[in-house]
Amino acid sequence: MTALLLLGSKPEPLLPPAESWRGLACANASGRSARDLALPDPDFTVISAIVTSGRKPANDLAVANLAGLHTGALYYLPRPVAGGTALKRAFFPLKVWRCQPWFFRRRLRAAGYRWERFHNPGYAWYLEELRRLTRNDEAVMAAAARKQPSTGAFALVVALSLGRWDRVILSGFSFELTHAYAHNPSIEELGTTASKHGDTDIKVMRSLAEASGRVVTTETAVAESTGIAYL
């Protein structure tokens, strides 16, 4: 059985035995955790466009901690297009120009991050794959419409959509804002450690695990919140 270790960026991830997995995937700056833990370069990494927006210190911290890292494939996760009037939607790309693919690639390269293949399938693709992989789970799609899933949840979508692994092992996930590579200043700003993506992510991961039968976890927080089986 071939297994993929999907590593989140939460502190003190509980790693599975080395012989239990053969591939590695990361989300945003969790590649820094992989490097610190002496793990190999990831097969693929999903990074949100928001990290190059410059909007919050947490975004700049993520970019800084990507310095010197390398991934096989880099999956660009665009920001979903804003709702509202047709005029607002038309000006949306200009408002978030620092999140556009050309700036995203330039910013990450300038930070010293490297990749072999760049994929930009579009935000609609991520949602379409989520729908397909959850067997058209309307409750999940409604949750994703209210609050988009996190980059880590979408990394699970990518892992399952690729179909290269018989099992995906979730480690380093906790549905909180904490990161292993640095203190997240958003905790003070929001007055909580809870992630805004948490409720959506729990629904997404639970449904993906139930539909695929290929997702397990090493983390108590994930198992207790989603019902995903322990490795």
Side-chain angles (χ1 to χ4, degrees), residues 33-207:
S33 293
R35 177 67 61 86
D36 292 344
L37 293 165
L39 301 181
D41 289 341
D43 293 69
F44 74 84
T45 302
V46 182
I47 300 181
S48 171
I50 197 69
V51 303
T52 61
S53 66
R55 290 180 56 198
K56 295 183 178 180
N59 303 144
D60 295 333
L61 274 173
V63 172
N65 279 277
L66 288 168
L69 302 183
H70 172 269
T71 188
L74 171 56
Y75 281 81
Y76 166 81
L77 176 61
R79 295 195 64 193
V81 176
T85 65
L87 184 62
K88 183 178 180 179
R89 293 193 298 272
F91 278 96
F92 181 73
L94 296 177
K95 182 180 179 181
V96 295
W97 64 272
R98 290 186 179 86
C99 299
Q100 297 304 308
W102 65 270
F103 186 88
F104 176 87
R105 290 195 297 265
R106 189 176 75 176
R107 180 75 178 85
L108 294 187
R109 284 197 185 103
Y113 187 65
R114 297 292 180 266
W115 56 89
E116 296 175 15
R117 300 171 303 281
F118 185 83
H119 297 283
N120 177 16
Y123 191 75
W125 178 86
Y126 288 96
L127 290 181
E128 288 163 7
E129 285 300 289
L130 177 61
R131 182 182 292 279
R132 180 180 71 84
L133 291 166
T134 59
R135 300 177 184 174
N136 198 33
D137 188 328
E138 292 298 341
V140 167
M141 300 313 296
R146 290 191 297 271
K147 180 61 181 177
Q148 73 178 80
S150 70
T151 309
F154 273 131
L156 178 57
V157 169
V158 173
L160 294 172
S161 72
L162 290 174
R164 290 167 48 191
W165 300 276
D166 300 313
R167 174 182 286 175
V168 180
I169 305 168
L170 302 178
S171 297
F173 289 87
S174 69
F175 311 115
E176 293 188 340
L177 294 170
T178 52
H179 296 305
Y181 57 80
H183 175 72
N184 189 342
S186 295
I187 293 173
E188 280 74 29
E189 178 186 344
L190 298 172
T192 180
T193 61
S195 169
K196 292 182 178 180
H197 301 280
D199 289 343
T200 298
D201 282 359
I202 289 168
K203 291 182 175 65
V204 166
M205 291 181 176
R206 178 189 295 127
S207 186

